[in-house]
Amino acid sequence: MGICWSMLMSVSQKPQEELFTNLPREMTKEILQRLPIRSIIMCKCVCKLWRYMIEEGELMPPYSQKPCLAFSFPLHLQEIYTVCDEALKPLLRFRLPTPHEIHDSRTCIARVIIGSIDGLLLVWHSCDNHLFIVNPMTREYVTLLLPMRLRKYKSIFGIGVSKLSGQYKILCGTRESTSYYVHTLGGKGEGEGGGLWKCIEGASAPTALVVPGTPIQPIATFINGNLHWLSYDLEGNRFVSCFDLDSELFTRFSLPCPNTMLHLLRLRVLDHQLCLCDISDGLHVVIWKMNNYGDTNSWTKEYTFAGSRIYGLVIPLNVLANGNLLFVSGEDNQLFIYSKSTETIVAYGLLQEYGVFSSNIAFYTPSFVSLTSMGIRNVVINDTLSIQ
């Protein structure tokens, strides 16, 4: 890593910009892909070619498989967003305008929720009827006006990408209705205020009733071209709701623990597989993995460790290269790593100093691909972003 950075810096100290452009393109790409995120950000300022290669997606797949985090926390009557690098050190910090600030300068402090896919962050201010799609790496965001007034903590959101078209879609709906809405980023009809929302209804749409005592805004989990969230119907049957972004049809999966209260379960994607975190017995954390996607008979216990009373609401974030599990404790917003081989848990980092809600944390894989190059309109440059 140090050799790659030294090579680039030795070139960048030359006075002639053609030295940058004359470096073989494949060599430049190979070097850039090996750099840490902070160095990539610096390289965007070296020359136009490097900036173009970075922002137009030539460095895909993502630069690092190490865990990165994005989270929000309140500071001085504003909601601040922070992105951490591979070492979980603060990398970027920014804020977003609220509609109140835009229209009449009134202050609106709200709990915000973050979801993430391919370097995009989905952000919702619970006191406003707006969503934000943000790429912190390019300082870009778009604002989407929701098709209806949503009650606080009684709605569901999700973002994913279509397998067929490659377009990003956002799903939203209330947890008391069978009506759902889909917005396609960069899709036909996108215009001022975020474009058009398509209403999705039908007998297959789940009745996503409010789960008593649920403190966390439900974010639909994306994997295999589908969005997933926990639901139960009028008969009390508990299941995983599934929405196909291509067909825009609903299906459902059975749970490995069908009698567990839903507020004690969390759906996650770990190691590219759909997983379910269960803390229902108050003593253990059990993480189920669906080994064959769509096969409900393939649920198996992947992780089991003691301590749900100690750690409270456990939210798994990522499986590390060595198979260890990175998770956050909802009790004190502490990061932990569970070692599968030694069956031990060690503290990894403290988020308490930020005042972070555990539900406001998302595993994040940075991307330098511009929202504009993705065909998304009404993109705004965020001038509040700063490198830490």
Side-chain angles (χ1 to χ4, degrees):
M1 186 73 70
I3 296 176
C4 293
W5 181 241
S6 298
M7 289 175 63
L8 285 180
M9 289 301 98
S10 65
V11 173
S12 65
Q13 292 169 3
K14 303 293 184 180
Q16 297 88 356
E17 182 171 322
E18 58 264 24
L19 290 178
F20 307 141
T21 57
N22 289 338
L23 189 67
R25 197 181 189 94
E26 287 303 314
M27 181 182 294
T28 302
K29 179 179 177 180
E30 181 68 21
I31 295 173
L32 289 173
Q33 284 184 317
R34 296 173 181 267
L35 295 177
I37 299 171
R38 289 182 191 273
S39 300
I40 292 285
I41 294 175
M42 295 173 63
C43 285
K44 290 175 61 177
C45 303
V46 172
C47 68
K48 293 181 180 178
L49 175 61
W50 290 6
R51 184 181 186 92
Y52 177 84
M53 292 180 65
I54 293 170
E55 293 187 351
E56 294 301 315
E58 286 197 35
L59 304 188
M60 301 299 285
Y63 321 105
S64 174
Q65 298 303 318
K66 297 179 181 179
C68 304
L69 294 180
F71 56 85
S72 65
F73 62 96
L75 180 67
H76 304 312
L77 300 181
Q78 292 183 350
E79 200 74 32
I80 305 298
Y81 303 84
T82 295
V83 175
C84 292
D85 62 14
E86 305 99 323
L88 300 187
K89 303 293 184 182
L91 174 66
L92 302 174
R93 184 169 292 180
F94 64 95
R95 66 182 181 87
L96 292 168
T98 68
H100 290 308
E101 292 175 338
I102 294 173
H103 296 302
D104 56 17
S105 300
R106 289 185 297 168
T107 301
C108 177
I109 299 301
R111 185 180 185 185
V112 295
I113 307 299
I114 294 180
S116 176
I117 179 175
D118 295 346
L120 302 182
L121 297 179
L122 174 65
V123 179
W124 176 61
H125 287 248
S126 62
C127 67
D128 297 313
N129 202 31
H130 289 73
L131 291 173
F132 294 96
I133 308 299
V134 187
N135 186 338
M137 298 296 115
T138 61
R139 301 192 301 126
E140 297 172 312
Y141 71 89
V142 292
T143 305
L144 303 181
L145 177 63
L146 288 171
M148 55 189 169
R149 176 63 63 180
L150 300 178
R151 300 180 186 180
K152 296 180 181 181
Y153 314 121
K154 292 187 179 181
S155 50
I156 185 168
F157 300 101
I159 183 171
V161 59
S162 166
K163 283 184 175 181
L164 297 180
S165 68
Q167 291 179 310
Y168 291 86
K169 293 186 178 183
I170 299 167
L171 176 73
C172 73
T174 65
R175 292 164 61 191
E176 295 176 319
S177 171
T178 57
S179 295
Y180 292 81
Y181 295 83
V182 174
H183 176 87
T184 301
L185 288 175
K188 184 178 179 180
E190 186 176 54
E192 193 68 31
L196 302 177
W197 289 84
K198 178 181 178 181
C199 183
I200 306 294
E201 294 183 303
S204 63
T207 304
L209 301 176
V210 176
V211 180
T214 303
I216 293 178
Q217 176 72 24
I219 293 293
T221 300
F222 176 74
I223 187 175
N224 202 44
N226 300 321
L227 288 166
H228 309 77
W229 64 98
L230 298 168
S231 300
Y232 64 85
D233 56 26
L234 295 176
E235 287 73 37
N237 300 309
R238 300 170 175 86
F239 52 89
V240 177
S241 293
C242 178
F243 181 75
D244 189 311
L245 293 179
D246 287 323
S247 66
E248 297 186 346
L249 296 176
F250 295 92
T251 55
R252 62 174 65 181
F253 296 152
S254 62
L255 294 168
C257 41
N259 297 321
T260 302
M261 297 298 294
L262 295 186
H263 69 279
L264 298 174
L265 301 175
R266 289 294 175 270
L267 277 176
R268 307 295 292 183
V269 173
L270 299 173
D271 202 20
H272 308 291
Q273 291 180 300
L274 185 65
C275 294
L276 182 74
C277 181
D278 178 9
I279 58 170
S280 58
D281 74 352
L283 298 174
H284 299 86
V285 177
V286 179
I287 297 180
W288 298 82
K289 179 177 71 173
M290 182 178 277
N291 289 287
N292 301 314
Y293 180 79
D295 181 3
T296 56
N297 294 319
S298 68
W299 286 111
T300 58
K301 293 182 180 181
E302 184 69 10
Y303 297 92
T304 302
F305 53 91
S308 62
R309 285 185 178 176
I310 299 174
Y311 303 112
L313 179 63
V314 170
I315 301 180
L317 295 174
N318 190 37
V319 175
L320 307 183
N322 56 6
N324 293 342
L325 179 71
L326 175 70
F327 69 91
V328 62
S329 161
E331 287 295 308
D332 51 15
N333 292 310
Q334 175 93 19
L335 290 171
F336 294 92
I337 289 181
Y338 168 71
S339 172
K340 196 173 183 180
S341 59
T342 63
E343 299 184 345
T344 57
I345 297 175
V346 296
Y348 191 66
L350 185 65
L351 297 173
Q352 194 175 42
E353 57 184 291
Y354 296 102
V356 179
F357 292 107
S358 57
S359 58
N360 288 350
I361 301 174
F363 175 67
Y364 177 70
T365 301
S367 170
F368 290 91
V369 179
S370 168
L371 295 180
T372 302
S373 69
M374 295 167 59
I376 300 174
R377 293 188 281 257
N378 304 312
V379 175
V380 178
I381 299 299
N382 192 338
D383 294 327
T384 70
L385 186 141
S386 62
I387 300 176
Q388 301 299 297

